[in-house]
Amino acid sequence: MTKANIGKARWARTKAAGLWQQATELDRDRTGSWEDRARRRRGADRLRTEAARFESIARRLDPSLDDQAA
């Protein structure tokens, strides 16, 4: 494990956390028409998909992160 990979893994984990937060904020917004809410829900789903992708990258770069998350 190199320091560079550890740094990249931390960056990916931070990016994933930010995306999860954005998705949560979109879910909490109940304003607008049903179409607006559906659009935000789809956007939140895309953000969660990207967050999962960054989590996967972080786990691949630093497998010890799995131990910390458990």
Side-chain angles (χ1 to χ4, degrees):
M1 182 68 53
T2 65
K3 283 188 174 187
N5 281 352
I6 292 171
K8 289 175 189 176
R10 287 184 181 153
W11 175 85
R13 178 63 54 96
T14 302
K15 181 74 171 174
L19 292 170
W20 278 105
Q21 180 63 36
Q22 289 177 21
T24 300
E25 290 172 11
L26 283 177
D27 282 339
R28 288 183 182 158
D29 186 0
R30 302 285 185 203
T31 60
S33 68
W34 67 270
E35 293 160 327
D36 294 334
R37 291 188 300 272
R39 192 174 305 115
R40 283 193 298 271
R41 189 171 34 251
R42 286 190 304 271
D45 289 343
R46 284 191 298 272
L47 288 170
R48 284 188 196 93
T49 299
E50 282 298 301
R53 186 173 70 87
F54 279 105
E55 283 288 333
S56 171
I57 291 168
R59 283 192 303 273
R60 187 185 49 191
L61 291 170
D62 187 1
S64 67
L65 290 175
D66 284 338
D67 299 335
Q68 294 172 4

